[in-house]
Amino acid sequence: MITAYNKEHVGDTLMVIIANDKEVENVVERKGNVARIQTIEGTVVAWNFFHISDYLTIEGTGQISLGEEQVAELNRLVKQAGFEDELVVDLEPKIVVGFVKSCKKHPDSDHLSITQTEVADGEVLQIVCGAPNVKAGQKVVVAKPGAMMPDGLIIWPGVLRGVESFGMICSAKELRLANAPEKKGILELPFDAVVGEAFEVGV
């Protein structure tokens, strides 16, 4: 569950993204201050909660984290509006410190690499990376599936040149860090960075 809020550009609306709609045609059903977005087949992909400040105190801009009490309030609004769905709390950080355990060349590309990258204790993701400086043994920043980047890009599982990829190894520029170099390449972290810890991005 991805939650995003940008009052300046979108208005007082909390956007909750459940799944990748893959740019297919969607059906929007609005009841009061709650709108449910579904695919034509009936899969719920997102919710919009309008005038959200009447119900919740939202801190921050862009992707935000909601606690159990806040999600419970959203579920109350969903039921009050007449929908039967229920949102599930997701407290897991999506942009984290990772460790590149292995790195090999993509068999069908001269610039892509296939990595096995640890993102938590015992959790390893296969991530295809196009950065020229990626290599085994690095501590890096990983945007896991469900992450929203500072520019609004949402990270979903994908396939690059026939190889599945479950996240993105990030550059300082993609993370909007201060004084990020223009040169292409991932951000390499100090080796004492703790795998699985949330990484604070820029705005």
Side-chain angles (χ1 to χ4, degrees):
M1 183 175 77
I2 303 165
T3 49
Y5 182 75
N6 191 325
K7 188 171 185 179
E8 180 180 353
H9 296 288
V10 180
D12 191 21
T13 301
L14 178 68
M15 296 172 286
V16 179
I17 302 164
I18 305 296
N20 187 0
D21 64 7
K22 298 179 181 178
E23 299 181 355
V24 299
E25 184 177 351
N26 292 323
V27 177
V28 179
E29 181 180 6
R30 179 169 176 172
K31 298 180 180 181
N33 286 329
V34 180
R36 181 176 64 186
I37 298 94
Q38 297 177 290
T39 63
I40 294 176
E41 292 78 17
T43 301
V44 178
V45 294
W47 295 85
N48 286 336
F49 294 87
F50 303 99
H51 305 292
I52 191 62
S53 295
D54 293 344
Y55 311 101
L56 292 177
T57 299
I58 302 293
E59 296 182 359
T61 298
Q63 185 171 17
I64 60 171
S65 298
L66 297 181
E68 293 183 1
E69 291 184 2
Q70 292 170 306
V71 175
E73 176 64 9
L74 295 182
N75 280 325
R76 186 189 71 79
L77 295 174
V78 167
K79 295 293 187 294
Q80 185 181 66
F83 295 105
E84 297 299 322
D85 309 71
E86 184 170 350
L87 301 175
V88 178
V89 179
D90 183 2
L91 301 178
E92 182 181 283
K94 300 301 182 192
I95 300 180
V96 301
V97 175
F99 174 68
V100 181
K101 300 186 72 173
S102 68
C103 180
K104 64 181 183 180
K105 290 297 183 182
H106 192 296
D108 190 33
S109 171
D110 61 0
H111 70 282
L112 295 176
S113 299
I114 303 170
T115 75
Q116 301 297 323
T117 302
E118 185 177 1
V119 293
D121 186 23
E123 182 184 1
V124 177
L125 299 178
Q126 177 170 283
I127 300 176
V128 178
C129 180
N133 63 326
V134 65
K135 60 184 178 181
Q138 290 173 319
K139 291 285 182 71
V140 295
V141 180
V142 175
K144 298 166 63 176
M148 177 180 283
M149 301 300 291
D151 64 359
L153 173 70
I154 297 175
I155 305 302
W156 301 107
V159 178
L160 294 174
R161 294 284 186 94
V163 176
E164 292 184 312
S165 182
F166 300 91
M168 182 173 74
I169 300 177
C170 305
S171 69
K173 187 176 180 180
E174 289 165 334
L175 297 165
R176 289 197 178 168
L177 301 183
N179 302 314
E182 289 297 322
K183 184 179 178 181
K184 186 176 181 181
I186 60 169
L187 174 66
E188 187 170 0
L189 299 177
F191 202 74
D192 60 357
V194 179
V195 173
E197 281 196 353
F199 186 88
E200 192 71 27
V201 302
V203 294

